[in-house]
Amino acid sequence: MEMFEWYIIRATGTVAYLLLYLSVIIGLYTQVQKKRKQKVTLSLVLHESLSNWALYLVLGHVGFLLIDSYISFQWFEILIPFNTDYKPLPMAMGALSLYFLIITVVTSKARKKIGYQKWRKLHALNPILYILVTVHGLFIGTDFQGVVIAAVNIVPLFIMGVMLQKKDQKLSVS
């Protein structure tokens, strides 16, 4: 049973990360489209859906960690940062990532109630979430090499930066 648990823990964490990655890329793409005065309804729905599913999988990831018989985590070791002897820094980053993701999803659903400006300020914290999750995976996981993760993250951000730069240049020329 231990191998099954290990595979499920790894799978839920990896797929959650990939969904979060896609959500970030689509969110950045949406910003480019907004600057170009393009319709973004579909991409916003996809962006939010991917974030929701990432959260569901992260909750599954945490749940399977709690029933894993190999390491036998206690709930406070997973949910309270720096409260474990097993890789305390990466575990803390995972716990903090969970809280940032919950804040992101909850405030996005409540954006009309809390106001767009406040939501936007809270949403601006998401790069911290993404960095924490990435570092958590790099230091606690063994599935992907750091070079692969770096390339997968840097290339799309570079492309988006170029796209934004071109848009700004078109605006200043016009």
Side-chain angles (χ1 to χ4, degrees):
M1 185 69 167
E2 289 174 6
M3 284 305 286
F4 174 75
E5 293 164 352
W6 185 85
Y7 283 122
I8 293 294
I9 290 166
R10 304 300 288 178
T12 53
T14 301
V15 174
Y17 180 76
L18 292 172
L19 292 175
L20 188 62
Y21 171 81
L22 290 172
S23 179
V24 168
I25 295 300
I26 290 170
L28 291 171
Y29 172 77
T30 300
Q31 290 306 307
V32 170
Q33 293 301 89
K34 279 184 179 179
K35 285 190 178 274
R36 292 180 174 171
K37 308 281 190 243
Q38 300 292 317
K39 195 171 185 178
V40 294
T41 308
L42 182 60
S43 58
L44 284 174
V45 168
L46 186 57
H47 172 68
E48 191 170 335
S49 293
L50 289 168
S51 298
N52 291 342
W53 278 103
L55 177 59
Y56 303 148
L57 283 168
V58 168
L59 293 173
H61 181 69
V62 169
F64 279 103
L65 282 169
L66 288 170
I67 63 169
D68 179 34
S69 58
Y70 183 72
I71 295 182
S72 298
F73 287 112
Q74 299 295 313
W75 68 268
F76 53 86
E77 292 178 286
I78 294 172
L79 298 176
I80 301 173
F82 304 105
N83 203 15
T84 182
D85 294 329
Y86 180 79
K87 299 186 179 184
L89 185 59
M91 287 288 289
M93 290 179 171
L96 293 170
S97 299
L98 170 64
Y99 300 134
F100 269 96
L101 185 56
I102 290 169
I103 289 168
T104 299
V105 171
V106 169
T107 58
S108 291
K109 295 201 179 308
R111 98 177 124 244
K112 289 180 183 173
K113 289 184 181 180
I114 65 173
Y116 183 77
Q117 294 301 330
K118 193 177 288 185
W119 169 80
R120 197 162 161 82
K121 287 178 184 176
L122 289 166
H123 213 68
L125 296 173
N126 283 342
I128 297 169
L129 160 63
Y130 194 75
I131 290 167
L132 287 171
V133 170
T134 301
V135 173
H136 167 75
L138 283 173
F139 285 102
I140 212 163
T142 58
D143 294 329
F144 303 104
Q145 294 180 349
V147 175
V148 173
I149 295 291
V152 163
N153 284 288
I154 291 170
V155 170
L157 294 176
F158 177 77
I159 291 168
M160 292 295 170
V162 169
M163 290 171 72
L164 286 169
Q165 190 71 6
K166 284 185 179 181
K167 176 60 180 164
D168 289 342
Q169 287 174 354
K170 286 180 184 177
L171 289 174
S172 61
V173 172
S174 300

